[in-house]
Amino acid sequence: MGGMGGWGRKRGLRWAAAAGAVAAVAACGPVDTGAAVRPSATRAHGTSVASGGACVFVKPDGARKFGHVGWGFRITGTDRWVYGAVENPSNALYTSPGGDIGAWHAEGTYARMLGDMSRDAYYPGKSTHPYSRHRCTGSSTSDVNSARAMIRTVEKRGFLVGVDPETGDLGSRDCLDAAYDVLRAYRTRHLTPAYPTEIPNLWVETLVLWSDSALKPR
């Protein structure tokens, strides 16, 4: 099964429960139907500016309402954030490692991150439904170098939802896997594990200690 080495993640089972789950690949693709952590000089969501922070960006109506997610994390002690996503513009169930999966990342201020995500500024193609929701949290732990390394990993490892044609195993390497793996590498506090029921919209609702705000184009 497509694992993350020693992390022992359980993947792919969320898509095996029903035939309709195959269509959920669009959760990381272009088929859409439709109180953040704000850094300051002193405090941000109950933590000092020297602490870290993380955000999850959501397209709730993506993929027949299975959802689609992107990610962002603070460069510790600054107002600089690194953010990105795996968009899967081909809408394919499988793309081999090294193939085009619409992976991208950028860096900027918190305000720029929100603006870019709200407009899908880096979307590979045209997006009629940008990210419309974001959930954020402060984090007293952070590992920017490990998160950057994980970005390089997820951008090269291809895309998978369902059966891996190379191994015959059921697994996933999709938008949620990318967001979860990057934020876990960052050592984000209050990051809920993504286990067998990890449909993007269901997983987002488990982030109970995170803020929850609408994201409007800016």
Side-chain angles (χ1 to χ4, degrees):
M1 191 173 293
M4 275 299 302
W7 284 2
R9 288 202 55 215
K10 299 177 181 178
R11 285 193 169 122
L13 298 180
R14 64 183 182 275
W15 309 115
V22 173
V25 64
C28 303
V31 184
D32 298 322
T33 61
V37 179
R38 184 174 301 280
S40 69
T42 54
R43 309 291 289 179
H45 200 72
T47 66
S48 69
V49 73
S51 298
C55 293
V56 171
F57 296 90
V58 191
K59 296 181 180 182
D61 294 331
R64 299 170 180 82
K65 301 188 183 300
F66 280 94
H68 166 75
V69 294
W71 50 265
F73 61 83
R74 178 192 282 161
I75 299 176
T76 314
T78 74
D79 185 25
R80 304 287 295 180
W81 291 68
V82 180
Y83 49 100
V86 167
E87 307 287 358
N88 191 36
S90 71
N91 215 29
L93 289 170
Y94 174 76
T95 300
S96 60
D100 180 13
I101 59 173
W104 64 271
H105 69 277
E107 181 178 325
T109 63
Y110 179 79
R112 178 174 178 177
M113 175 177 70
L114 295 190
D116 285 351
M117 297 303 284
S118 72
R119 294 179 288 105
D120 267 344
Y122 295 93
Y123 191 88
K126 295 182 178 179
S127 175
T128 56
H129 297 280
Y131 295 89
S132 61
R133 180 186 181 192
H134 65 304
R135 305 202 64 178
C136 299
T137 186
S139 182
S140 59
T141 57
S142 59
D143 188 337
V144 174
N145 289 337
S146 292
R148 289 189 187 275
M150 184 55 67
I151 292 171
R152 294 191 291 271
T153 295
V154 302
E155 290 184 342
K156 296 177 181 178
R157 70 188 182 188
F159 186 92
L160 171 68
V161 172
V163 177
D164 189 330
E166 300 295 325
T167 66
D169 293 332
L170 188 66
S172 66
R173 297 187 294 272
D174 63 3
C175 61
L176 177 54
D177 293 294
Y180 177 81
D181 291 343
V182 168
L183 295 183
R184 176 162 180 169
Y186 181 75
R187 299 179 61 207
T188 304
R189 294 293 303 277
H190 313 306
L191 180 67
T192 308
Y195 288 135
T197 56
E198 56 194 51
I199 290 172
N201 277 343
L202 296 181
W203 178 78
V204 165
E205 298 306 324
T206 69
L207 303 176
V208 294
L209 297 179
W210 297 46
S211 67
D212 191 357
S213 300
L215 185 64
K216 298 180 180 180
R218 56 183 68 192

